[in-house]
Amino acid sequence: AAVNYDLYWLGYRRERAAWLSFTGEENRQTFGGRLGGIFADDQGFFDLEAALQTGTVGEAGVLAAMLAAQLGYTFRADSLAPRVYTGLDYGSGDEDPGDSDIGTFNQLFPLGHAYLGFIDIVGCQNIVDWSVGASIFPFPKTRFAADLHNFWRASETDALYNAGGGVVRVGGPGISRRVGSEIDLTISRPVNRHLLFTGGFSHFFTAGFLRESGPGEAINFLFGQIQATF
């Protein structure tokens, strides 16, 4: 077994910020740690990260948190090298917009497509995502993956935020926390030592919250990209 760990502190300041009904200068301190590694003859793997945020937005205080965990296994003896995994991602939301505190986690500088689905309708703020996935190599150097994400809002009174931190829909008491599910089918293959092709199809199944708060049509996303590394 091999285990790696990281500890970090991130200071963040923004002159003009708006969170729910609060506006003003935002000062956040993020204290976090990550633990990850491999086990079972390098076939099993795990990753666990957690962070706590404190600070202020104008006159409001901040207390928020996040958690990300993944556990998986790769069958290296099989010629297809199948890999299966499951994960949980949590970003806190604000439970009481009427008080003087902000409970919504700030995902700071997020990566599109990286963690919560390729469509990017969901970001790591006021969210719970339980995911499962699998991948194989049907041809040499060609990876095919299928991932399923299941989304709930952490707090019914807070909004749904996208991967860029923007508000998709505002929340409110009595509205379902269930957001929906997304399935991502992707294929990737190196073109040469500098170029990597990735393509795929994603479908978002809307559920209670999106249907109750406005138009709730499903979303389809087809994409292809070339990544160059020098």
Side-chain angles (χ1 to χ4, degrees):
V3 177
N4 299 311
Y5 62 90
D6 300 286
L7 297 174
Y8 57 85
W9 163 54
L10 303 173
Y12 177 80
R13 177 180 176 271
R14 182 168 52 162
E15 289 187 0
R16 296 180 180 86
W19 289 91
L20 302 173
S21 59
F22 301 102
T23 59
E25 182 177 282
E26 180 175 9
N27 289 279
R28 291 208 188 211
Q29 310 299 320
T30 302
F31 306 93
R34 176 179 173 270
L35 185 69
I38 54 178
F39 59 94
D41 295 329
D42 295 344
Q43 296 188 103
F45 61 92
F46 72 96
D47 197 286
L48 177 65
E49 181 177 358
L52 177 70
Q53 287 183 340
T54 62
T56 59
V57 176
E59 299 299 319
V62 171
L63 183 61
M66 64 80 68
L67 174 70
Q70 188 178 63
L71 178 67
Y73 192 88
T74 303
F75 299 86
R76 299 191 183 278
D78 192 295
S79 60
L80 299 179
R83 168 177 286 198
V84 293
Y85 43 88
T86 184
L88 176 68
D89 289 271
Y90 165 79
S92 65
D94 198 274
E95 295 291 344
D96 186 0
D99 65 14
S100 59
D101 295 315
I102 297 173
T104 310
F105 184 77
N106 185 340
Q107 58 188 342
L108 299 178
F109 307 104
L111 295 173
H113 310 330
Y115 304 112
L116 301 176
F118 275 81
I119 294 180
D120 290 341
I121 193 175
V122 174
C124 191
Q125 299 178 172
N126 190 39
I127 203 69
V128 178
D129 171 28
W130 172 65
S131 61
V132 293
S135 68
I136 59 172
F137 284 82
F139 309 104
K141 300 182 180 180
T142 302
R143 179 178 183 268
F144 176 78
D147 295 273
L148 174 65
H149 296 268
N150 300 279
F151 299 111
W152 293 263
R153 290 180 303 141
S155 168
E156 68 175 16
T157 55
D158 203 345
L160 172 66
Y161 301 87
N162 62 26
V167 174
V168 177
R169 297 276 175 85
V170 297
I175 304 178
S176 173
R177 294 189 182 191
R178 183 79 171 97
V179 175
S181 300
E182 178 176 333
I183 185 167
D184 299 317
L185 305 175
T186 57
I187 186 169
S188 60
R189 177 181 174 84
V191 178
N192 54 42
R193 61 180 297 185
H194 297 294
L195 300 177
L196 174 67
F197 167 78
T198 303
F201 172 77
S202 299
H203 181 83
F204 194 97
F205 303 87
T206 59
F209 171 67
L210 290 175
R211 295 175 183 174
E212 295 171 11
S213 59
E217 296 181 1
I219 301 171
N220 292 307
F221 177 56
L222 182 67
F223 71 96
Q225 65 182 43
I226 294 287
Q227 176 182 324
T229 304
F230 300 97

